[in-house]
Every structure is written in structure tokens, then in C-alpha cells.
Amino acid sequence: MRKTFFLCLIAIVNLTCMGYAAGLPILPSPKVISTIDGENKRERVYGDIDFIWRNTNSELYSCVQEEFNELLRKNCSDRLKIIGEQSSSKKILKAFCRKHSLNEHYIDSIGTEGYLLSKSDSCIHVVSKTPEGLLYGIQSAKQLVRGGYAPSVTLVDWPDYSQRIFFDDISRGPISNIAYIKKQIRDLSELKYNAFTFYIEHVIQPLSYPDFAPENGKLTMKDVREICSYARKYQMEIIGSFQCFGHFEKILSLEKYASLGDTSSMIAPLNPQAQSFLKTVLEELADVFSSDYFNINCDETWDLENGKSKEYVHRVGPDKFYADHIRFLYGILKAKNKKVMMWGDIIMKYPHLLSELPKDITYLSWNYSGTNYDAWINPFKENNSNYVVCPGILNSNRLFPDLNMTRENMQFITDGYRAGAKGVLYTSWDDSAFHSFASIMYGVALASEYSWNASRSIDVDGFEERYCMVRLGSKDTRFTQTLNELMKFAKLGMTYEMNDRIFYERFTPEINNALNINKEELNIAREILTSVKRLLDTVGLRKEYVDEKTLKYTVAQYEFIVDARERMFKMADWYRRSLQEYTESPERARKSLIMALKEINPLEVQVLALKQQYTELWIYENQSYFLDEGLKLYREKLEQIHRVQSDLLRAIDFIDSGKQPDDIMAAGLDVRNVNSNYFSCWLFCGTFLNGDINTDYLATVGGELNIAPLPGERLDMGGCEYRWARCVSNNGFIMDFNEMFHSVNSGVAYATAMLYSDKEQTVEILYGGSGENLIYCNGQIAGRTAKENEFVADKYKLSLHLKAGSNRILIKSRQLVNDWKFSFRVDGRIVKSHKQKYYL
């Protein structure tokens, strides 16, 4: 008997040190796991559960208790007793530790949100000092029961970070419906997040200003109260939020509110009416959101020195201008007993403000890439400021989150913990027509794992096994294997970082402009797609079926990307064959055109199926607001298909009437294989009317040789305001100045992009552009074109000398004709891109 106990004690110590038990279905992973029963047993199920609550209000756990009812099996006689006990008595806690052979020092370790848990065949006993800790213990018990976990086990658990917040952007496209927000709260609570917040610009409807929110996409004050009330049942706070400085363009675009702007996208801090507006809205929102914290945002205020207040700003300094507005907002919320949160990016530009602004402000330091986060930690750490680290799911402008970058970004959580950060705010930014919460759940769960266990090394393989068990009810990891296979698209040039640009680009040629595709990359994409689909066919979930539907929708998007381009190649080949056959045999030429049509027709079926999937997923999660923006994309795709179908039918009509079809360029059916990809996203600025190619229009902001603008950055010239705006080619090929500026004058415009090289090297670029053009690299002229009245792609071959690291490319172009365009690519090199940043 004594020998058995001794061997069991050794097993306990070993597993406690390991901190891991194979197959334990709990997320995030508990700190300490010990067991005296490690045998592999069949799945354990129960027919009924008896709850016993000690020294606590059972109503605090009623929602989670109800969720247990969904786990019961009919015709099963086994009963389970769950004891939930709240106690700060050391006597009771020590007795629990002694009974389960736990070191008594864990009593201090569990703090205010931790818990002790023991499980046997017929009983789960959870003890905690607080209702919050007890709730998290009950959530772990629920996961054990749902996972059918059979062995007896003892857990000691507590979080490393006290603030674990999920942040959902609802202002850039989709806005969740109330039912789905409640589901988000349930999902987040199970992952032991303790706060939830939204990014809000205009999708809130205060009673004081009810007319700036979209009619079909908003949260009313009643909605907010309902959400906060529901969240309280899960011991979760809803943090208030309202954008109070920049990113104000949606409200300012309304005629009634336009006068409140310092610029078209920034509210005017010195305007008494704007101050009154902010004060009234903030006071109303502060009354309905449940958390003691409120996020005033105030990030990316690029217009600080370029608005109506610019003379005042130049006199007092942009730092004081910014800080005075923060103090104004702070005073409003302080009077409402709220603690201010705000993004930290502008403060990092003026770090002396950390010692001048109120010390109880919490700064949200955000960074979504890289491996060294010192620059986003040290300013706050050195000033002893309250700060929260803010990594992200990396879903902005992507078809699916780039999970490679998501995993790398977890280092920010670990580094922040070591440097004294107060918490984690995990961000999801919806900079696109559609981002499903289901598609980001892997990242949400991974962030919870790191936030709860920031002091420990995380085994990602072990996490994925538990993620599949807990989230999906799966006994294998085929779902996450499929995700990891899908991530191979993130390394491919045409789909780099899972960008959505290739899905939005034209996939059909245009009249007199070829569709350019790199066949080599397309073949690699086909191989990846085949492998992903093979794995996806083996996935079988037992719960959260929408996760699988969302993944299938994403895979269908990639399938369309590949299929459409492959079929375009085949269509063009059939058309060329028809032109060659026409002289000798119009009949054979006609048959070739019919074959070309057969390549196009299936694409219409694919688009309609995608449209249906898209709509179903949208309605499940979101209000109807912005849905039409996504559906417009599918209408455009159908229009492209119908245009090609129409041109092929017209060519058949030509043959039937004894005429030769148009050549392939004139017909708009030319598809070509190119050995590299074009730069299809740039920052544009212009136009400077009646311009001269030799005048430096950027002299007031550092000059052409030194310019390094950010998207949205503004400059003033001669009383006119100019803005650097991101422009994306609609066909992945041609950059169109006139589409952006609608200029009919002899104007000058700029385009800039960043090209990163891993070493110093010289590369050849192929450039084509109408007008008169200068091409700069790192402030040096790399080439000048003649005065071109016609756009011809790849007409000029130029050498660029690149340094290791970042290289600024600047195009300066003077308009000569209405058809004002350019194209740019590195000859023979696949260049990966994220927005206007390119990587060799």
C-alpha cells in the first residue's frame, strides 16, 4: 500500500513539473496538472449532473451550468457531482491541497482568478477565492466533461496576465448581430478572456446624436446594455470605445457633421461644437458600458499639422496640440469614474508626453509583425506607465488570417509580460468586405493560451491537439493540419501573406490589355490547393460546424483564383488556335471558339456558389450593413465572365457571317505568361495641376529625395490639400493615375512603394508609362522616359541598385494624355507583397 502511494506521488511530481497531461481537453492549458490515474479509458459520459454550490451565489454560474445540460447523454445512468466552492479560508484551501497531495504554496499562487480542481469518476470539485476564479474552474470542468476525459486529475491554475481582452473591429465592414455577439462572449469566456471591446467609429447610436449611425448596422444604447448584462453572467466586462480624434471620416462625411472636422478625417479639437459633440457622446456611452475602462482610441492622427488648426499647431507644437486634446477627453471620462485607455502609437512619437499626461492612463501598444518588440515596450516600461500589449490575428486585407505571422506575433505577449505589461488586448481588424469570427478562432484561442501562460514556453503542437478537442470536438488534428497546409499560400508571391488583393483583381483580360500571369507560380498554387482539399475532405467536426464551413469557403476562394486563371490560359490558347485555323477551315475555327466557351462557363457556377456561401456566412454573424459591398465583388466577377462569353459568341457570329474574328488583343482575350509579377499597389499623391516634371512639389515636406509617406498622410501646397492614398490595380498589372485623379490637365502625380532586399544587389526592372516619367530609387534618379502618348508595358528596362533592407521607389509622372498609366516589375524575379511593401 505504502509502495503504491509512493509510486503515485512520484507520478504526481513528474506530471506537475511537466505541466502537461496528454489528451487533456482544456484551453488554455492549466499551470499544474497531476494525476494518479493515467490509464487510457474509454470516453466518459454522464446522464445527469448535480451541482452543489458552497459559499457563493449559484446565479453567478447559471449560464455555464446551463451549458452542461447540452453535454448529457440520454439513456446513460452515470451521474456526476460538481461542487463549486468559493473560499478565502486558508484552512479550507490547505485541506483541499492535503487531500489531493498538492503543495500548499499553490494557495498563494492562484491569486484572485485562479482555482483548484480535482476530478474523479463521479465528482469534480472546484475551489477558488473569488467568483471569477470559480467561473474559470467551472469552465475547465465543462471542457473535461465535454471532452469525455476519463482519468482522475488534479489541477492548479491561474493566469499570468490580469487583463485578457479581445478587441473586435466592427467599423470597417461587418458588424455583428446581437445573437452572435452573445456567442462571442460565450466563446471568449470559455477561453478565459475577462474583457471584450469593439472598435467603434460610427456604428453606435447615442440618443443625443442618433443620426450618424448606419440604419442597418449599429449598436443602440439598448443593445449595449443587453450585451453588458449578458457579459456579466460570464464575469466579463465590456469596455467602452469611441474614436475621438483621427479616423473620423465616416461621421465627418455626413453634411450635418462636416463642420466638426479639422480635416476630412480628423475632428477639430479647438472647435467648441466638436468639443460639445465629443463630451455629450462620451458621457452617454460611459453610462452604458459596464467596464471601468474606456478606450478613446486617438491613433494614427496623421493630420495633426495639416488641418484648419495648422497655424495654431505650428505655434504650440503638434505634441501639445495632441496632449491637450487627450487631457480634454480624460477630464470627461474621469468625471464619469472611467479609466482612460488609448492607442500608444502617437505617444511613441512624443515620448515626453508620458510624464506629462495623467499617470493612470493605460496605453495600448500595438504591433502586428516582427520579432523584436523592444521599441513598443521600452518607452512605457521606462516611464513606469500602465500599458497593455496588443498583438493581432493578422486578418486585415486577407482571405484568411496569416497564421504564420499570428504565431510569431505571440512573442509580443511573452516579451510584454517579462517587461511588466498589465495585460493583453488581442486585436482583429476587419479591413475588408468580410472577416468571419470563425476564421480567426485559432488565433483567438492561441492568444488566450499565451496570455494565460505568458511565463511558460508554449508547445504549439500540444495546443493544436487541445484546440481540436476543445473547440471542435475532434479526436485528431486534421483541421489544424489543413490550416497549416493552407498557410503555404502565405509564402507564395501571388498570394503572399494570404492577401485578398488577388481575389479582388480582374481575372479576365481587357481590350488592348493582356492578362499577365506567372504560370510557374500558378502551378505551385495548384499543388497547394490539391493538398489542402485532400486534407479538408478528411476533416470531421463534432461541433462548431461553421468553422468548417468558413474554411471551405476560403478554400473555394483559392480554388476560384487558380481555376479562373488556368481557364483563362486555355481560353486564350483556343482563341489563338481559332485565328490560325480560320483561313484554312472556318468550321474548325468555330469549334475552337466553342471549346474556349466551355472553359469559361464553369466559372459562372463557381462564382454563384461562392456568392451563396458568402451570404450565408455573413447573415449568420452580421447585420446587413456592408453586405452589399461584398456582393458587389461577385457581381463584378460575373460581369467579367459574361463579357468574355459575349466576346467569344461575337467571334462565332463573325465566322458565321463570313468574317474573320478580331485579333486577340482587340477582342480583349489576350492572356500571357510573364516571368515576374507586377507591383500592383502603390501610394498615390496628386495631382499638381499644370505641373512641371522638374518642380519638386514635395519640397515643403522634405522633398522628393527624402519622402517616406504613410497611407492617409496629408500635405498642404498653395492652399490645396493633398493626401497619400493607397491605390490598388484592378487587374494586378496597370496602375491608373487617371482612375484615381480624373485629371484632364497637364498634372503631375507621384506614386511610391517600398522594396525590401535581403542583400545589396542590382536588379533590372521593366517599366512602361504614358506621359513623362521619372523613376527614383532611394532618392537617386534610376531612369527617365521619353514623352509617351501611349501606354506600353515593359517598354523601358532600367537598373536599380538596391541596398540591403528597405528601398524607397518613387514614380513621378506628368500627364500628357487622358490614358495616364504605368506598370512596374522586377524582371525575372518573383516579388512578394503586402499592400505597397514588396519583398525580393
Side-chain angles (χ1 to χ4, degrees):
M1 183 74 176
R2 291 177 62 189
K3 182 178 179 181
T4 301
F5 174 79
F6 180 72
L7 291 174
C8 291
L9 186 60
I10 292 175
I12 291 171
V13 172
N14 285 342
L15 283 163
T16 299
C17 294
M18 289 167 59
Y20 174 77
L24 187 75
I26 293 180
L27 280 177
S29 177
K31 286 287 194 304
V32 180
I33 304 167
S34 62
T35 179
I36 56 173
D37 182 2
E39 296 178 12
N40 290 321
K41 295 184 177 181
R42 63 179 179 82
E43 181 179 329
R44 190 62 193 260
V45 297
Y46 299 95
D48 203 359
I49 298 177
D50 299 315
F51 287 91
I52 301 171
W53 302 102
R54 296 176 181 169
N55 303 319
T56 191
N57 181 359
S58 61
E59 289 299 311
L60 295 174
Y61 319 96
S62 58
C63 283
V64 179
Q65 184 173 328
E66 289 172 9
E67 293 173 22
F68 274 90
N69 294 329
E70 301 172 7
L71 312 178
L72 303 179
R73 300 282 183 88
K74 294 179 179 179
N75 305 319
C76 178
S77 59
D78 287 352
R79 298 177 69 91
L80 177 67
K81 178 168 64 176
I82 294 182
I83 303 171
E85 182 173 6
Q86 181 186 332
S87 178
S88 56
S89 165
K90 286 199 172 183
K91 180 179 179 181
I92 291 175
L93 295 169
K94 284 181 179 180
F96 186 96
C97 289
R98 285 193 296 271
K99 180 178 180 181
H100 300 288
S101 304
L102 293 173
N103 192 310
E104 292 181 6
H105 78 259
Y106 289 134
I107 295 172
D108 297 322
S109 298
I110 62 174
T112 59
E113 290 188 285
Y115 60 91
L116 308 173
L117 181 152
S118 71
K119 176 195 172 297
S120 64
D121 278 353
S122 59
C123 179
I124 298 178
H125 187 182
V126 182
V127 183
S128 179
K129 300 175 185 178
T130 65
E132 293 84 3
L134 188 51
L135 175 79
Y136 298 140
I138 296 298
Q139 290 281 25
S140 292
K142 183 186 73 181
Q143 292 177 344
L144 288 170
V145 173
R146 190 176 58 213
Y149 190 75
S152 298
V153 68
T154 302
L155 308 178
V156 185
D157 203 11
W158 65 91
D160 286 333
Y161 274 112
S162 60
Q163 289 180 304
R164 303 174 305 282
I165 310 163
F166 178 70
F167 172 97
D168 192 15
D169 174 10
I170 58 173
S171 291
R172 310 287 185 90
I175 171 170
S176 308
N177 58 57
I178 302 303
Y180 198 79
I181 290 174
K182 290 179 179 179
K183 174 172 169 46
Q184 287 179 298
I185 289 168
R186 294 192 296 274
D187 289 345
L188 293 171
S189 174
E190 184 169 323
L191 292 170
K192 302 180 176 68
Y193 283 88
N194 58 8
F196 185 19
T197 188
F198 305 100
Y199 177 64
I200 295 176
E201 292 180 9
H202 66 308
V203 292
I204 192 89
Q205 189 178 46
L207 299 175
S208 51
Y209 294 95
D211 53 352
F212 66 71
E215 183 58 37
N216 59 343
K218 62 191 175 188
L219 296 179
T220 66
M221 297 300 96
K222 179 183 176 183
D223 293 335
V224 174
R225 288 190 180 91
E226 183 178 350
I227 292 164
C228 291
S229 176
Y230 191 80
R232 282 192 200 98
K233 298 177 182 179
Y234 288 88
Q235 310 293 328
M236 184 180 293
E237 295 297 330
I238 305 297
I239 297 173
S241 170
F242 189 66
Q243 180 60 268
C244 295
F245 210 163
H247 289 301
F248 220 80
E249 60 274 2
K250 294 181 178 69
I251 294 177
L252 295 177
S253 67
L254 303 173
E255 183 178 355
K256 177 179 177 179
Y257 298 100
S259 63
L260 303 183
D262 219 37
T263 69
S264 61
S265 63
M266 189 178 83
I267 199 166
L270 303 180
N271 183 333
Q273 291 177 317
Q275 291 176 348
S276 176
F277 172 87
L278 287 172
K279 184 175 187 296
T280 303
V281 171
L282 286 178
E283 287 177 340
E284 189 172 344
L285 298 187
D287 286 338
V288 293
F289 282 98
S290 60
S291 173
D292 291 338
Y293 289 91
F294 194 99
N295 183 9
I296 59 174
N297 294 285
C298 296
D299 56 313
E300 297 184 330
T301 50
W302 295 312
D303 297 345
L304 278 179
E305 301 179 66
N306 297 302
K308 297 173 185 175
S309 308
K310 65 182 175 183
E311 290 184 8
Y312 173 82
V313 176
H314 291 163
R315 188 166 67 251
V316 304
D319 52 347
K320 184 181 186 310
F321 182 59
Y322 184 81
D324 285 348
H325 188 54
I326 299 303
R327 292 188 189 98
F328 166 72
L329 300 169
Y330 175 89
I332 296 169
L333 290 166
K334 185 74 172 178
K336 286 290 184 177
N337 296 315
K338 294 291 185 180
K339 300 174 185 176
V340 169
M341 285 181 158
M342 59 179 286
W343 298 110
D345 54 318
I346 304 301
I347 291 294
M348 287 174 60
K349 189 175 180 181
Y350 309 111
H352 62 277
L353 294 179
L354 287 168
S355 59
E356 298 175 17
L357 289 169
K359 293 299 291 183
D360 59 347
I361 291 176
T362 297
Y363 297 99
L364 308 175
S365 182
W366 56 273
N367 186 287
Y368 309 133
S369 61
T371 55
N372 188 323
Y373 298 94
D374 290 349
W376 288 269
I377 291 174
N378 289 343
F380 307 102
K381 175 185 174 184
E382 291 166 1
N383 196 68
N384 294 318
S385 300
N386 297 320
Y387 72 101
V388 167
V389 293
C390 306
I393 184 60
L394 282 302
N395 58 322
S396 296
N397 300 114
R398 291 171 168 89
L399 294 184
F400 199 85
D402 184 342
L403 299 183
N404 301 316
M405 296 179 70
T406 296
R407 296 183 190 111
E408 291 173 1
N409 204 205
M410 293 297 107
Q411 185 65 39
F412 198 12
I413 296 177
T414 303
D415 290 353
Y417 178 76
R418 292 170 183 161
K422 303 300 182 185
V424 175
L425 182 143
Y426 193 56
T427 64
S428 168
W429 293 99
D430 293 353
D431 296 57
S432 195
F434 176 62
H435 291 296
S436 166
F437 190 63
S439 71
I440 69 172
M441 275 306 299
Y442 176 99
V444 174
L446 186 63
S448 82
E449 181 85 0
Y450 274 83
S451 302
W452 191 268
N453 293 302
S455 62
R456 301 166 58 191
S457 176
I458 303 298
D459 172 22
V460 175
D461 289 339
F463 161 78
E464 291 187 350
E465 180 185 1
R466 286 180 290 109
Y467 177 77
C468 289
M469 285 191 289
V470 173
R471 171 73 183 174
L472 310 171
S474 297
K475 299 300 182 183
D476 57 55
T477 59
R478 290 176 186 172
F479 186 86
T480 53
Q481 289 175 41
T482 306
L483 294 183
N484 292 330
E485 192 68 16
L486 184 70
M487 289 306 110
K488 290 182 178 179
F489 279 119
K491 301 298 185 183
L492 193 62
M494 62 187 285
T495 54
Y496 186 58
E497 294 183 349
M498 313 300 287
N499 75 83
D500 62 3
R501 193 162 68 236
I502 189 169
F503 190 68
Y504 283 80
E505 287 173 357
R506 291 187 65 89
F507 59 93
T508 61
E510 298 172 278
I511 294 173
N512 295 323
N513 280 315
L515 176 68
N516 297 288
I517 303 171
N518 185 290
K519 259 190 174 180
E520 182 181 351
E521 275 210 308
L522 190 62
N523 291 338
I524 296 171
R526 171 58 72 189
E527 292 174 4
I528 296 171
L529 182 62
T530 300
S531 179
V532 168
K533 290 179 66 180
R534 187 184 303 119
L535 270 171
L536 186 57
D537 286 343
T538 68
V539 170
L541 308 189
R542 296 171 64 180
K543 59 191 289 283
E544 298 295 347
Y545 303 109
V546 71
D547 290 24
E548 187 174 357
K549 284 185 178 180
T550 303
L551 180 56
K552 285 182 175 179
Y553 169 69
T554 300
V555 173
Q557 287 179 295
Y558 279 104
E559 187 166 26
F560 177 79
I561 289 168
V562 175
D563 283 356
R565 285 154 179 80
E566 287 180 342
R567 289 185 179 279
M568 285 300 116
F569 265 123
K570 293 175 182 177
M571 176 278 301
D573 287 344
W574 282 114
Y575 194 87
R576 289 189 186 94
R577 180 183 298 186
S578 175
L579 294 178
Q580 293 168 359
E581 294 170 333
Y582 177 76
T583 303
E584 292 186 7
S585 175
E587 185 180 347
R588 284 205 310 272
R590 191 179 192 278
K591 288 180 179 178
S592 291
L593 290 175
I594 292 172
M595 294 301 294
L597 265 175
K598 286 183 177 180
E599 291 296 338
I600 303 304
N601 293 340
L603 295 179
E604 185 170 5
V605 176
Q606 274 184 281
V607 171
L608 291 172
L610 278 168
K611 179 182 176 184
Q612 182 177 347
Q613 288 176 280
Y614 175 89
T615 304
E616 289 176 357
L617 289 170
W618 182 286
I619 295 300
Y620 174 65
E621 288 192 17
N622 302 303
Q623 300 178 42
S624 61
Y625 171 70
F626 219 77
L627 171 59
D628 194 57
E629 283 297 307
L631 294 178
K632 182 170 69 175
L633 169 66
Y634 290 104
R635 290 195 295 270
E636 291 170 355
K637 291 187 182 305
L638 290 171
E639 287 171 5
Q640 289 183 58
I641 292 168
H642 295 159
R643 200 277 300 170
V644 172
Q645 290 171 330
S646 176
D647 286 346
L648 289 171
L649 288 170
R650 185 163 64 94
I652 292 173
D653 286 344
F654 273 27
I655 291 176
D656 290 346
S657 60
K659 294 187 292 185
Q660 182 171 346
D662 291 334
D663 69 67
I664 197 165
M665 282 287 284
L669 300 173
D670 192 12
V671 182
R672 298 179 185 178
N673 181 26
V674 292
N675 65 1
S676 62
N677 47 329
Y678 288 87
F679 285 32
S680 58
C681 181
W682 296 72
L683 294 184
F684 276 17
C685 185
T687 63
F688 301 89
L689 298 181
N690 296 308
D692 176 72
I693 195 72
N694 297 311
T695 299
D696 186 348
Y697 295 97
L698 306 178
T700 59
V701 288
E704 295 169 355
L705 304 186
N706 304 306
I707 191 70
L710 295 171
E713 194 171 315
R714 297 172 187 271
L715 62 139
D716 181 82
M717 180 127 181
C720 294
E721 184 180 87
Y722 298 89
R723 182 170 66 95
W724 288 96
R726 185 178 288 123
C727 182
V728 179
S729 168
N730 70 356
N731 61 8
F733 167 35
I734 296 171
M735 301 305 304
D736 193 332
F737 281 124
N738 219 26
E739 186 176 351
M740 171 70 81
F741 300 121
H742 306 292
S743 175
V744 293
N745 207 316
S746 181
V748 168
Y750 293 95
T752 185
M754 189 70 76
L755 176 58
Y756 292 87
S757 175
D758 59 355
K759 61 183 178 182
E760 184 178 356
Q761 59 179 310
T762 298
V763 297
E764 302 297 322
I765 68 156
L766 297 173
Y767 183 84
S770 55
E772 188 178 4
N773 300 273
L774 282 170
I775 300 95
Y776 292 87
C777 179
N778 297 325
Q780 301 294 317
I781 294 179
R784 179 190 290 261
T785 72
K787 296 180 179 180
E788 301 284 356
N789 290 323
E790 182 184 8
F791 167 72
V792 178
D794 303 345
K795 184 172 183 177
Y796 292 88
K797 191 167 190 176
L798 307 170
S799 294
L800 293 190
H801 183 72
L802 306 178
K803 62 184 180 181
S806 59
N807 297 268
R808 174 68 61 185
I809 310 299
L810 181 72
I811 308 297
K812 183 180 184 181
S813 182
R814 184 169 76 94
Q815 183 180 19
L816 299 177
V817 292
N818 286 343
D819 193 30
W820 189 19
K821 302 172 179 176
F822 76 91
S823 65
F824 183 106
R825 67 184 173 108
V826 181
D827 190 22
R829 300 286 295 274
I830 297 299
V831 179
K832 300 175 180 179
S833 66
H834 178 64
K835 299 179 181 176
Q836 71 279 1
K837 299 175 182 178
Y838 298 84
Y839 304 84
L840 275 171

